[in-house]
Amino acid sequence: MKKSQSIPTAPRALPLVGHLLPLVRNPTLFLDSLPAHGDMVKIRVGPFSMVVLCDAGLTHQVLLDDRTFDKGGPIYDRAREVSGNGIGTSHHDEHRRLRRLVQPSFHSSRLPGYAETMTACIDEAVSSWRAGQILDVPTEMMAITSKIAMATLFSGALSREELDKLLDAGMTLLAGFYRRMFLIPPLDRLPLPGNRSYTRARDHIHEVCGQIIAQRRVDGTDHEDLVSALLSAHDVDTDGRGMTDAEIIDTIVAILLAGIENTASALAWALDFLAQHPEVERQVHDEVDTVLSGATATHADLRHLEVTNRVITETLRLRPPAWFFTRTVTADTRLGGHFLPAGTNVAYSPYLIHHRPDLHNRPEDFDPDRWDPRGPQPPRHAMIPFASGARKCPGDTFAMAEATLALATITARWRLEHAPGTERRPALSLTLKPRALPMRTWPRTVAQ
């Protein structure tokens, strides 16, 4: 059996920073280069070393065995500063119970109510656009998804001013999270402006969420939002025990941070791809003109928006917002013929798997028809934007519904074209989002 030392190391590592520079300059290009060196490749990012999985089968094996390959490494170490031991960051021994408690909040029976809130938020945002206006598309999509996140979580629990303050805190956390991943102690604890604002934002979110939970426990009414669903959850496998306030707060924070930026990034890239591919854009326009007739998309329309849904799916393949994850080996094990000692950081990338030519025909092409169920489908395990196994995102259906409703409504009313200054290269951050995407709006009328 091969030893861990036989795992090849990616070339061009620099002293101290390792492979950080190519990751910063062009993260997708760096990831695309790794499979040429083997199915498992060592990299170093600042003070952290890790083994990157370049093979879909090995990645699937790691995702299924979350006991051996537990949530850990630099990404989750930082995430726990914000969302504690919530469902997205909890270790294996706590995750099963939390998942049983959180999953009912995203049950299909609740989706129509959430979709009604989504529709209202999307309609408000899209109705405010003006003909010929140049939008900063990533920012505009963040505005839409943040309103949806707040409304579906808290219903009417906060005033507009309180919501805006909470959103500002969330944006501060998102902006600082990735930077702090590469700060080694004690730099992350120094009283620097960035560290102070990050800590204040985290504390504010926890305080507001705690106040809402306390009010809801006294109130006892189901407000048909996510907080009410989390409060009412009880686990029959643990004598009906529900979630503690701390666990609910951690889950809310995880939903906020993941739900806002991930969906916004996917929508921004989808609009970018449609502007580059007029033939696909025409297909989407034909569909939304037939299904919506200029109206705002609703839950009842989702089953008819097949092309729009395929556009979102293909966007998630080409530009998966959650693009890089780390796991920690909890016990000596073997993977892909290599020995991995306990404590090894293992990383996998949906982006890398989604761009392998042996898994996806013409992987760099934007081709939503590859997801047409009437045609050949990519291999199993070749598409993991929401991960898989026991740690698969419980809100995947929620996110797909939100993105489909938003894209359908936008394309029904507006055609967006690239404006000067468009830069399609992804930025290095917690999500794989565009560096700059200014687009000009042109109103549409329903095709007759």
Side-chain angles (χ1 to χ4, degrees):
M1 189 65 68
K2 298 176 182 177
K3 298 295 184 181
S4 60
Q5 286 77 9
S6 66
I7 299 175
T9 299
R12 295 186 292 278
L14 297 175
L16 299 179
V17 297
H19 298 94
L20 181 60
L21 291 183
L23 260 177
V24 170
R25 288 170 179 163
N26 197 323
T28 57
L29 182 65
F30 178 72
L31 289 173
D32 284 334
S33 73
L34 296 181
H37 304 290
D39 290 341
M40 298 168 65
V41 182
K42 290 181 181 178
I43 69 169
R44 187 163 53 83
V45 183
F48 306 106
S49 62
M50 60 193 74
V51 175
V52 180
L53 306 178
C54 302
D55 176 79
L58 295 178
T59 300
H60 183 65
Q61 184 176 336
V62 165
L63 291 176
L64 288 185
D65 186 4
D66 62 321
R67 181 186 297 274
T68 304
F69 302 95
D70 205 353
K71 290 271 181 105
I75 291 178
Y76 293 106
D77 290 344
R78 288 305 181 190
R80 290 185 182 109
E81 293 180 348
V82 179
S83 57
N85 198 37
I87 187 170
T89 53
S90 59
H91 290 293
H92 174 272
D93 57 356
E94 275 294 310
H95 175 260
R96 295 296 191 274
R97 183 184 69 86
L98 286 174
R99 183 160 187 110
R100 288 194 298 268
L101 288 164
V102 170
Q103 194 67 59
S105 303
F106 294 100
H107 191 271
S108 58
S109 62
R110 284 187 172 267
L111 189 57
Y114 296 150
E116 185 176 351
T117 300
M118 295 172 188
T119 294
C121 294
I122 294 164
D123 180 73
E124 180 184 6
V126 173
S127 298
S128 69
W129 296 354
R130 305 183 308 276
Q133 176 184 4
I134 294 181
L135 299 176
D136 176 8
V137 170
T139 300
E140 193 67 29
M141 296 304 103
M142 286 274 282
I144 293 174
T145 59
S146 60
K147 289 177 182 176
I148 290 173
M150 293 297 180
T152 52
L153 272 166
F154 305 126
S155 186
L158 298 174
S159 67
R160 179 56 66 97
E161 181 180 354
E162 290 170 328
L163 281 172
D164 289 343
K165 190 174 180 181
L166 194 63
L167 277 175
D168 287 343
M171 296 305 102
T172 298
L173 286 184
L174 286 171
F177 181 90
Y178 208 82
R179 174 184 57 82
R180 288 176 61 83
M181 272 183 55
F182 306 111
L183 286 178
I184 60 175
L187 296 179
D188 57 344
R189 294 189 295 273
L190 293 177
L192 303 172
N195 290 341
R196 289 201 303 267
S197 61
Y198 187 87
T199 301
R200 284 197 301 268
R202 179 194 62 196
D203 292 347
H204 176 71
I205 291 176
H206 281 240
E207 180 183 0
V208 171
C209 291
Q211 292 171 351
I212 293 173
I213 291 168
Q215 293 167 359
R216 291 289 178 85
R217 287 201 186 278
V218 173
D219 179 271
T221 302
D222 185 351
H223 293 260
E224 299 184 353
D225 55 20
L226 280 164
V227 171
S228 291
L230 293 171
L231 282 166
S232 64
H234 292 87
D235 183 12
V236 295
D237 291 348
T238 54
D239 299 325
R241 181 160 58 99
M243 299 177 74
T244 66
D245 286 4
E247 288 171 338
I248 294 176
I249 291 171
D250 291 341
T251 301
I252 290 172
V253 173
I255 292 172
L256 275 176
L257 298 186
I260 292 174
E261 191 165 49
N262 286 1
T263 308
S265 177
L267 282 169
W269 284 120
L271 292 168
D272 174 52
F273 286 133
L274 289 179
Q276 295 179 66
H277 298 84
E279 70 286 354
V280 178
E281 185 181 50
R282 282 192 294 272
Q283 293 178 40
V284 172
H285 286 164
D286 288 345
E287 177 175 85
V288 297
D289 289 350
T290 300
V291 175
L292 304 181
S293 299
T296 304
T298 67
H299 180 264
D301 300 315
L302 284 172
R303 62 192 180 95
H304 302 294
L305 295 170
E306 298 176 2
V307 177
T308 308
N309 184 273
R310 291 201 292 269
V311 167
I312 295 295
T313 302
E314 179 69 345
T315 299
L316 291 173
R317 184 189 69 82
L318 279 168
R319 292 289 185 267
W323 62 284
F324 196 81
F325 296 91
T326 56
R327 295 286 177 93
T328 297
V329 177
T330 59
D332 293 353
T333 190
R334 286 179 171 82
L335 181 68
H338 298 280
F339 172 73
L340 298 178
T344 301
N345 288 322
V346 173
Y348 76 93
S349 169
Y351 175 90
L352 190 155
I353 300 300
H354 294 176
H355 284 253
R356 286 195 60 121
D358 57 330
L359 301 175
H360 301 276
N361 185 34
R362 306 183 320 276
E364 302 307 318
D365 290 356
F366 177 70
D367 180 17
D369 284 344
R370 76 174 77 236
W371 304 108
D372 189 331
R374 294 165 295 188
Q377 297 291 294
R380 189 182 181 189
H381 316 320
M383 183 68 174
I384 50 171
F386 299 104
S388 64
R391 305 305 290 254
K392 185 179 181 181
C393 173
D396 56 343
T397 303
F398 180 104
M400 285 298 297
E402 178 183 358
T404 302
L405 292 173
L407 185 63
T409 300
I410 291 169
T411 53
R413 300 190 193 177
W414 300 94
R415 182 175 62 84
L416 273 63
E417 65 178 25
H418 291 119
T422 298
E423 188 178 355
R424 297 189 182 94
R425 193 154 54 97
L428 181 67
S429 69
L430 185 60
T431 58
L432 204 62
K433 60 185 179 182
R435 288 180 184 269
L437 189 58
M439 301 187 78
R440 191 181 300 275
T441 58
W442 298 109
R444 294 189 65 248
T445 56
V446 176
Q448 300 298 319

